[in-house]
Amino acid sequence: MTALRFIVPPIAISLMILSADQGIAADNERGAQLVAMCAACHRLDGHDTAIPSIVGMDVQKLVDAMAAFKSGARSSQIMHAVALQLNDAEIETLAEYLAAWPMERKLR
């Protein structure tokens, strides 16, 4: 019984870490899928010139922008249509995925 007292906690902690890692991996995979629709207009290398860059954007700023496009408070037919296709959880996942990308320097 004493040996179990020392073995069980590390195993339990390892299982929690593994399940958390799988959740993060799933979010990253879903984020990659969602960002594919952004790539049609936004350059995802951080070198946008005509369209605002979304790479490295603050999570809350992107979530707020998408909510504004979704509600029509911010004007853009394309972004309104895109935002309507996404639920709040997908927008959050997309924003977190893009925020994790480092901003590259713009081409000179």
Side-chain angles (χ1 to χ4, degrees):
M1 248 348 217
T2 333
L4 285 177
R5 206 173 69 189
F6 295 105
I7 295 172
V8 172
I11 291 172
I13 290 169
S14 296
L15 290 173
M16 288 189 318
I17 291 170
L18 284 173
S19 64
D21 285 347
Q22 289 174 350
I24 291 168
D27 284 348
N28 281 340
E29 184 176 321
R30 183 65 180 139
Q33 292 170 348
L34 291 169
V35 83
M37 82 170 109
C38 304
C41 298
H42 293 270
R43 286 187 56 174
L44 298 181
D45 61 2
H47 300 293
D48 289 307
T49 53
I51 296 175
S53 181
I54 55 175
V55 174
M57 187 180 234
D58 176 71
V59 173
Q60 194 57 52
K61 186 176 179 181
L62 185 55
V63 168
D64 291 346
M66 291 299 288
F69 285 125
K70 196 174 202 176
S71 71
R74 191 165 172 184
S75 181
S76 170
Q77 290 180 342
I78 292 171
M79 287 305 302
H80 179 69
V82 170
L84 286 174
Q85 294 177 42
L86 302 170
N87 64 40
D88 292 343
E90 290 172 326
I91 290 171
E92 182 79 23
T93 298
L94 177 63
E96 289 173 358
Y97 184 83
L98 286 167
W101 286 16
M103 274 295 256
E104 293 182 19
R105 290 185 182 206
K106 294 193 180 272
L107 293 173
R108 296 176 199 228

